[in-house]
Amino acid sequence: MTKIISFSNYKGGVGKSTITEIFGFLLDRDHDKKVLLIDTDPQMNLSDKIRRTFNVEAKPKKQLMQAIEDQTIADARVTINDNIDLLVGDWQIEKFPQHVAKLPAQAQFYLLYTLTKDIVKEYEYVLIDTRPSTDIMTNNAIAMSDYVLIVAKTEQDSFISSQRYYKYLSEMQRYNENLKLLGVIQYLVNTRGSTDKKVMQDFAELFEEDVLKSIIRSSERVKTWGYYGITTNYAHDKKTMKMYQEALNEVLEKLEKRDEDVPAH
């Protein structure tokens, strides 16, 4: 059964695109899973990262916004390798609010779901990189998701935005009653910093068991991957990747536990 996960926060620059990319990379490499990555951010960071990591041009038949307007969203999909496909980001997605404004009010939240409902069945995991806002495109991403993973830095601004985003998710349940918070992952943490420790405590008190035990510590290697793409054969690659492997494994365990908790029909 397909699992659709949005990677989200109000705040930009917290690592959403990087986490989405690396989780997709690991689901392919370590778990041999079929993955669809969806880039809904007009900045197209996820698409750019995927191009660098896999050294592919990733040019779709149609740009994403055009494919949405034509109701042929599969035309914005490109094959990255045997397991990974990508709905390529498009700066023109800024036009999405004007496009959905033509629809009845309730339907405006479900256009992305409607256009992708058939193709997502081809995958075991669908990972959605969302923009740092709650515009109508983000609403569409959340409305089609099974789970949301909040990505946050250990900074006060990031904590506050995560708190507000959590409230937003509770409000979005009126449009997606099956939506669940998968957890909060703390990103680029300085484990020796006093402020980081205080913010981590704030996260623990607010989100309790929903805070992932696995954290991504601050690392120059992560920055290098952002510039050149993910590598696996240089010094520190293995050590850095282990942090993401542990985080992904914890997420997969959470998903398995959620499946066990669902009663049989």
Side-chain angles (χ1 to χ4, degrees):
M1 183 176 177
T2 305
K3 293 178 175 62
I4 304 175
I5 307 169
S6 280
F7 295 72
S8 302
N9 201 320
Y10 271 134
K11 196 174 189 308
V14 295
K16 297 187 301 297
S17 301
T18 300
I19 292 282
T20 308
E21 178 205 16
I22 297 178
F23 276 17
F25 177 89
L26 290 173
L27 283 168
D28 165 33
R29 191 194 71 173
D30 294 355
H31 300 274
D32 193 28
K33 299 298 184 182
K34 188 77 172 172
V35 182
L36 175 65
L37 304 172
I38 302 180
D39 189 350
T40 67
D41 191 334
Q43 296 183 73
M44 303 178 288
N45 290 335
L46 174 62
S47 299
D48 290 340
K49 289 175 182 293
I50 291 294
R51 289 186 180 104
R52 288 192 290 269
T53 290
F54 291 94
N55 194 27
V56 294
E57 185 177 357
K59 186 175 181 180
K61 182 177 179 181
K62 293 180 183 177
Q63 297 300 312
L64 181 58
M65 191 62 231
Q66 187 63 55
I68 289 172
E69 291 174 345
D70 295 344
Q71 298 185 32
T72 56
I73 200 165
D75 288 340
R77 178 175 54 170
V78 297
T79 297
I80 303 301
N81 63 20
D82 289 344
N83 276 340
I84 299 176
D85 289 343
L86 168 69
L87 276 179
V88 182
D90 177 13
W91 68 270
Q92 295 192 59
I93 207 67
E94 295 283 11
K95 299 178 182 178
F96 188 78
Q98 290 86 355
H99 179 70
V100 298
K102 305 169 189 175
L103 302 174
Q106 188 74 6
Q108 292 178 14
F109 286 79
Y110 302 108
L111 180 59
L112 193 61
Y113 163 78
T114 301
L115 295 177
T116 61
K117 65 180 180 179
D118 291 327
I119 66 173
V120 298
K121 296 174 184 176
E122 302 171 22
Y123 304 91
E124 292 166 275
Y125 292 90
V126 176
L127 310 183
I128 307 175
D129 184 26
T130 62
R131 65 187 302 177
S133 69
T134 52
D135 68 349
I136 191 64
M137 174 54 89
T138 300
N139 290 344
N140 269 251
I142 300 303
M144 69 176 282
S145 297
D146 302 309
Y147 301 96
V148 172
L149 184 67
I150 295 177
V151 183
K153 285 187 176 180
T154 45
E155 301 169 344
Q156 183 64 11
D157 288 349
S158 186
F159 171 72
I160 292 171
S161 66
S162 300
Q163 191 175 28
R164 291 171 178 166
Y165 205 87
Y166 184 63
K167 182 179 180 182
Y168 158 73
L169 293 177
S170 68
E171 294 169 353
M172 280 298 297
Q173 285 188 312
R174 79 176 98 170
Y175 303 102
N176 181 358
E177 61 182 11
N178 297 316
L179 182 67
K180 298 179 180 67
L181 177 64
L182 184 54
V184 178
I185 182 167
Q186 297 170 105
Y187 192 72
L188 294 186
V189 178
N190 175 7
T191 53
R192 296 181 180 179
S194 59
T195 300
D196 290 65
K197 291 177 181 177
K198 176 63 174 67
V199 175
M200 290 175 74
Q201 182 62 36
D202 291 341
F203 273 111
E205 291 175 0
L206 177 62
F207 292 100
E208 298 178 338
E209 70 276 3
D210 288 323
V211 178
L212 267 63
K213 296 179 178 64
S214 307
I215 63 173
I216 308 299
R217 295 180 298 279
S218 182
S219 167
E220 284 298 316
R221 179 55 50 183
V222 176
K223 297 177 184 178
T224 301
W225 287 351
Y227 191 83
Y228 295 105
I230 298 170
T231 55
T232 58
N233 56 342
Y234 293 103
H236 305 300
D237 280 342
K238 186 174 182 180
K239 181 179 179 181
T240 301
M241 188 61 77
K242 185 178 179 182
M243 294 188 293
Y244 291 92
Q245 289 171 312
E246 290 173 350
L248 175 60
N249 288 338
E250 185 175 352
V251 164
L252 294 178
E253 288 172 6
K254 280 178 170 285
L255 289 171
E256 185 177 353
K257 179 69 164 57
R258 292 288 177 88
D259 287 345
E260 291 173 352
D261 290 342
V262 174
H265 294 283

